[in-house]
Each structure stands twice: as structure tokens, then as C-alpha cells.
Amino acid sequence: MDLSDIRVIDSHIHQWDPFRTPREFSRTAKLLRMLPIPIDWAKQVAPRRDREFVGDPTAYANPYLPANYRADADGVPVESIVHIEVGWTGKGTLARADETKWVAGLPFGGDNPALGAIVGSADPAAPDFALLLDAHMAASTLLRGIRAHVAHHPDSNVRPYAEHEGALATKEFLDGFAALAERGLSFEAWVYSHALPDVTALAERYPEVPIVLDHLATPAGIFGPVGKRTGTNPSLRRELFIRWRDDLTALAEKPNVVAKVSGLMMPILGHRVPPRGMPTPVPVLLDRISPLITHAYDVFGADRLLWGSNFPVDKPITTIADSAEVIAAAITHHGGGHDELEKIFRTNAQRTYRIES
């Protein structure tokens, strides 16, 4: 489990400043700053599906920048990071490229980890998708791929990130997707687990496009009840696990897909949110998520898994050090050794995102 001699690449973090850049949550953050409203009170009056997804809104109400990440990563030898887009809402068809430019200008390096790669935001179904890709690439030479907001859940009380289900399967999305292959870019697939077959179909249609599955497809409710009817009893959670297991197995058969063991401490999975500053103990998390990690390891193998902290989104449940420890422990308990950890915590991300050593 010792990662001290691995120059870790954190393959999934977010940076934001809701006060100086346009974010989906900027208006709320500014309101909380202007009004004398305790954040815990604000949490109680927020819509239930937002509360269940966020867990604790503190991070969203403040900037989260390289120095914040460095402080949170204390104890983990993170050399570089991969930044994943997060809710940029600028005006105009090419505005999302502004996030790439903004991230590239943040003070990474020096005392902070280096910026290894950027994944921007774009929708393959949009008419100007190709133009936006070119704008992203012009904004930074570190642009390696894009993520689209396609996550939708059949339970209406599980927070959606797309207007309707099946966004990956529309004609417009599939036709536009070819522009990624033309530019040698990857696709970051974040979906709820019921949509795994759509990711598999996409990977089969475009075998030349590298696809990165985020967060093992976020099986919402697998650890406890969320939404109206998701994960409300052990039987339903078992059914959810079996479907996730079988669909992930099918996806792993596509050689152009890699998967991130990340985001497994997101509150929407059904974790009980502990008091602020008191992360869920490592043994508890290890007991919960080991079946997910070990199955992913069995079907993808050590060569196609990447670790990411998903910070600060996972912060209500865990720390970066504990997240890394849980993943490393699950892998080693399942027979993985130092070479496997080196791949999962460094070299696979280096290869996937073409990060210079």
C-alpha cells in the first residue's frame, strides 16, 4: 500500500472560482457570500437532489485553486494532475474554451503539482462542436480530450446533468463524435451506471477514439438510499450491483476504453455524509467499495485503470490521502503489487493523457 516512491498522477481533479469565472453554481456562491446565511442552513433549504449529490456545499461556495488542492493532497506524492471541466457557463458557442485557457493560466508547478493535461467541455451533438474543439486546442497545448454533460438517471430525484436519457445514442451526438477521431482527442464518459451499455456501443462504433470511463460509472444508491426509489433496500442495491458488474464487464471488452477508480466516495452513491472535518474511516470505506474496485481490476486489469481523487467533489466523505489508501489497499488485498500500483497511480494516466515525464 506504500505509495511514497511513486510519483503519483492524480487523473481527476477540478478547479474553480465561482466569483471570478462563470459556473453553474456561481450565483449561489455569490449569494452566500453577500448574505449572512450559515452554509448549513443553506444546505437544508436546497433541493433534495442537490443535497444528495453535493453532500456538503462548502467547497462549491468558495474558490478551489492549486494551493487548495496542494493542501488537501498533503501526504500523497502527487507530481501532476489532470484537470476535468466543471460547469463553465460563459456566453457564446465557443465560450467553454475559455475554461481551458483559464486552467492553463493557473499557478500549477513550483510548490504545487504540475498541470499534466486538461479535459475540456464540449457537446458532440452541438452544431459548432468541431469549431469548439479547435478553440480548446488553441487555448492550450495540454488539451487532451473533452467531457460532455450526458449523465441522466431514470429516478427523477437523482440529480441529472442532461435533459434526457440516451444522450450518447442520438444521431447528432454519434455523427459529431467523429471530430474527436480527426483531432486525436479522447472522450471522458461520465454517466450513471444504467447508461453503461450506451458507452459500450459508442466504443464499438468509434474504436479509434480513446474513451475514459469516469468514476466506474457512478452507481447511484449502491451504498444507501438516494432519490425517490434508488437503493432503498439491500435487495435493490444487490440488483444495482449485479447490473453494474455485468455492464462493466461488457464495456471492458472494448480495448479503447480505460476506467478511473475515482469518485467512489461521491455522496450520490449513498454514503452517509459525516460531520465536516471528520472523514469516513478508511476501514469503513474499504469495506464498502472493495467489491467495485476488485471487479474493475478483474475485468480491466492493472493496465487500464487510473486513480483520481475527484477533489473537491469527494471531500465531504474522505481525504485525498484516505482515498488513495483505500484504492491501494483494495488492489493489494486482491493480489496487486507495487508494479500494479505504479500503473494505476501513474503510468496509465501518463499514457492515456500523453503527459510528459
Side-chain angles (χ1 to χ4, degrees), residues 62-250:
N62 298 283
Y64 193 78
L65 299 169
N68 304 106
Y69 174 82
R70 182 189 72 230
D72 282 342
D74 185 46
V76 181
V78 177
E79 179 182 77
S80 63
I81 62 91
V82 178
H83 180 273
I84 310 297
E85 65 82 25
V86 54
W88 191 276
T89 58
K91 296 180 180 179
T93 57
L94 305 182
R96 294 183 189 181
D98 292 339
E99 181 181 27
T100 294
K101 181 178 180 179
W102 178 78
V103 171
L106 291 175
F108 287 104
D111 292 336
N112 300 318
L115 177 61
I118 299 172
V119 173
S121 174
D123 181 4
D128 294 319
F129 178 59
L131 290 175
L132 179 54
L133 291 183
D134 292 339
H136 274 299
M137 296 176 75
S140 175
T141 58
L142 294 177
L143 194 280
R144 296 292 183 264
I146 63 100
R147 184 168 76 163
H149 292 188
V150 296
H152 189 279
H153 199 279
D155 185 331
S156 61
N157 266 26
V158 172
R159 195 184 197 285
Y161 285 84
E163 292 183 0
H164 53 80
E165 62 181 345
L168 289 173
T170 66
K171 181 180 185 302
E172 294 80 8
F173 187 99
L174 293 171
D175 289 348
F177 201 82
L180 288 172
E182 295 165 1
R183 290 160 177 78
L185 296 174
S186 63
F187 179 67
E188 204 89 5
W190 178 56
V191 296
Y192 289 115
S193 58
H194 71 282
L196 274 167
D198 288 345
V199 183
T200 303
L202 183 66
E204 183 170 1
R205 176 162 175 168
Y206 286 100
E208 70 275 28
V209 176
I211 294 177
V212 182
L213 178 70
D214 286 350
H215 312 329
L216 296 185
T218 310
I222 201 163
F223 302 133
V226 296
K228 289 182 178 178
R229 58 188 181 277
T230 301
T232 52
N233 61 61
S235 177
L236 289 176
R237 294 194 287 274
R238 176 63 180 167
E239 290 177 12
L240 177 60
F241 175 81
I242 292 171
R243 180 178 175 183
W244 170 87
R245 180 196 65 193
D246 293 348
D247 288 344
L248 193 79
T249 300

Side-chain angles (χ1 to χ4, degrees), residues 10-31:
D10 189 337
S11 71
H12 201 107
I13 82 158
H14 304 290
Q15 299 275 270
W16 57 60
D17 185 342
F19 306 131
R20 292 181 173 85
T21 59
R23 307 286 176 171
E24 292 175 353
F25 47 89
S26 286
R27 183 176 180 181
T28 300
K30 290 175 181 178
L31 184 64

